Structure formats: structure tokens, C-alpha cells
Amino acid sequence: MKLTGILLGAKPVSGSVETDVTLRTYGQHMDEVSRLKDKVLDIEIKPHREKRSTKANALCWEICSQIGRAMNPPISKEEVYRRAIRDVGIYIQVCIRKGDYTDASSLDSISNETL
């Protein structure tokens, strides 16, 4: 179960290395949460981050297309994106041999030099 909410407080448990944490979640989760009472849980708390919308994703690819067309010689939107990712910082390039994947349709635009 993944929830979104706010941290209301945290206080140390007297005489222990444990911490009591109070959260407020958004939405109706009382039944689900009640079933987890007194069970050991894996808990991760991190700041909320909105996911990129479909509209924002489409805009990103449109901008990559326009940049690619403006280059001399023109390059594909995928190559613009790859170069931008490389320029941002740490990345890992993964080489995939033909036959090591099940769907090659997403790899059609990758040049042989990249593979």
C-alpha cells in the first residue's frame, strides 16, 4: 500500500531507540491501515513529488523534435533526448544484443553505432 499524506509529529519512545511517528494520510484508508496494526512494516517516508503529466511528456518530446530539426545536420528527437541525458550528469549506457529482448519495436530508432 502506498499512501500520500503529511507528517504531523515524531517523538522518541522513552528508554528506547524507537520513535513514535504520527501521520495524516489523504483519502479513505482506515480499513487497510487497521489490518496492519501491530505488524512489522517496511516504511519509507520521503517528500511528495508530482509525476510528470502526459501533457508535460508530450511537450518534452515536441521540444526535442524542434531542437533536432534545428540542428545541422538534423538529428532525431531521441538523439536530442539521449544527448541531454548524457549532459545532465551521471548515466549508464547499456548495450543490448539482438535476441536479448522480446520487443524490438522500441529500439527501431536506435542507430547501429549506439548498439
Side-chain angles (χ1 to χ4, degrees):
M1 168 183 0
K2 188 173 182 179
L3 307 173
T4 303
I6 59 173
L7 175 64
L8 296 176
K11 63 180 180 176
V13 175
S14 181
S16 174
V17 294
E18 298 171 336
T19 304
D20 280 341
V21 177
T22 305
L23 303 169
R24 177 172 294 141
T25 62
Y26 303 132
Q28 300 292 324
H29 303 288
M30 192 63 190
D31 291 340
E32 297 168 272
V33 172
S34 294
R35 285 192 288 268
L36 298 173
K37 185 173 179 10
D38 297 325
K39 293 187 179 183
V40 176
L41 307 172
D42 293 326
I43 301 170
E44 177 181 0
I45 299 175
K46 60 184 182 180
H48 178 68
R49 181 174 163 250
E50 293 294 332
K51 294 180 180 176
R52 194 163 84 179
S53 68
T54 305
K55 195 172 184 177
N57 194 52
L59 178 60
C60 172
W61 286 110
E62 178 57 30
I63 291 169
C64 287
S65 293
Q66 290 178 16
I67 291 170
R69 287 192 301 269
M71 302 288 285
N72 191 9
I75 60 174
S76 70
K77 63 184 176 189
E78 292 83 6
E79 184 59 26
V80 170
Y81 184 81
R82 277 191 218 98
R83 289 181 185 183
I85 295 298
R86 281 194 296 260
D87 292 346
V88 166
I90 299 172
Y91 75 97
I92 297 172
Q93 183 171 346
V94 178
C95 296
I96 303 172
R97 293 177 299 189
K98 287 189 176 193
D100 286 352
Y101 47 83
T102 56
D103 180 12
S105 63
S106 63
L107 300 175
D108 287 343
S109 63
I110 299 176
S111 69
N112 289 332
E113 297 166 346
T114 307
L115 298 175

